[in-house]
Amino acid sequence: MIEKSSDQNSLTIRRTINAPRQTVFDAWTQIEHLKNWWRANPAWSTEIAEVDLRVGGKYRLGMRDPDKEGPFTCYGEFVEITPPEKLVYTWSWELPSTDVGETLVTVEFLEQGDATELVLTHERFPNAEAAGEHTKGWTGCIEGLSRLVESA
């Protein structure tokens, strides 16, 4: 079950995933795993997965909706990395139609026995509409992550 909340300028999604914290962290940070889950909808594809996992390192992720323009590609820079506990990174979109300016994503991986409580906070949105759209996208991505690591 996903627990969601948002306000004018941020969103928080919490999800307990039945997989060890290191497994979930690795799936979030390793290219070979990202390609298998990072997309807002299971019918979409992940076309771009580039990660330089170090503070100051860059990432770029692109997903394609087969019925729309794309790929929808985000990019940013890692601000904080504490394996396997926490990631903080900037977030921007390449397409002008999806761009909301630079925002900030914090992902916490909280150990819950053999499971992981994932807490994603995405902040610095210009308005509630942008936060709401990102809530939909993140919900789909986290569902895909959960399916991947729980079936492993």
Side-chain angles (χ1 to χ4, degrees):
M1 176 179 173
I2 290 184
E3 179 185 320
K4 303 175 244 183
S5 64
S6 63
D7 63 25
Q8 178 76 9
N9 301 97
S10 68
L11 66 89
T12 300
I13 299 174
R14 300 174 94 76
R15 166 78 186 247
T16 299
I17 298 174
N18 292 315
R21 178 168 68 169
Q22 186 68 55
T23 300
V24 179
F25 184 87
D26 290 347
W28 199 282
T29 58
Q30 295 176 3
I31 293 169
E32 64 271 19
H33 299 303
L34 280 163
K35 289 181 177 180
N36 292 312
W37 70 266
W38 195 84
R39 51 188 162 265
N41 182 308
W44 296 14
S45 62
T46 305
E47 293 192 351
I48 301 166
E50 301 166 0
V51 176
D52 180 8
L53 189 63
R54 61 184 175 83
V55 172
K58 310 269 191 237
Y59 74 90
R60 190 166 169 257
L61 301 169
M63 61 183 140
R64 180 175 296 279
D65 175 345
D67 300 324
K68 294 189 179 175
E69 66 174 317
F72 296 100
T73 305
C74 66
Y75 65 94
E77 182 175 306
F78 290 100
V79 176
E80 181 182 339
I81 301 169
T82 309
E85 300 171 13
K86 186 176 184 182
L87 295 170
V88 180
Y89 49 91
T90 62
W91 175 283
S92 298
W93 288 102
E94 287 184 359
L95 283 176
S97 62
T98 55
D99 186 35
V100 295
E102 186 177 89
T103 56
L104 187 70
V105 175
T106 301
V107 188
E108 297 171 275
F109 305 86
L110 307 174
E111 196 167 48
Q112 302 291 326
D114 291 336
T116 304
E117 181 181 9
L118 184 127
V119 181
L120 179 137
T121 304
H122 195 157
E123 55 193 332
R124 301 183 185 166
F125 290 109
N127 54 51
E129 180 184 355
E133 286 300 312
H134 283 77
T135 298
K136 289 185 231 172
W138 278 121
T139 299
C141 286
I142 292 169
E143 288 291 342
L145 170 67
S146 181
R147 278 191 301 274
L148 176 71
V149 298
E150 289 179 352
S151 67

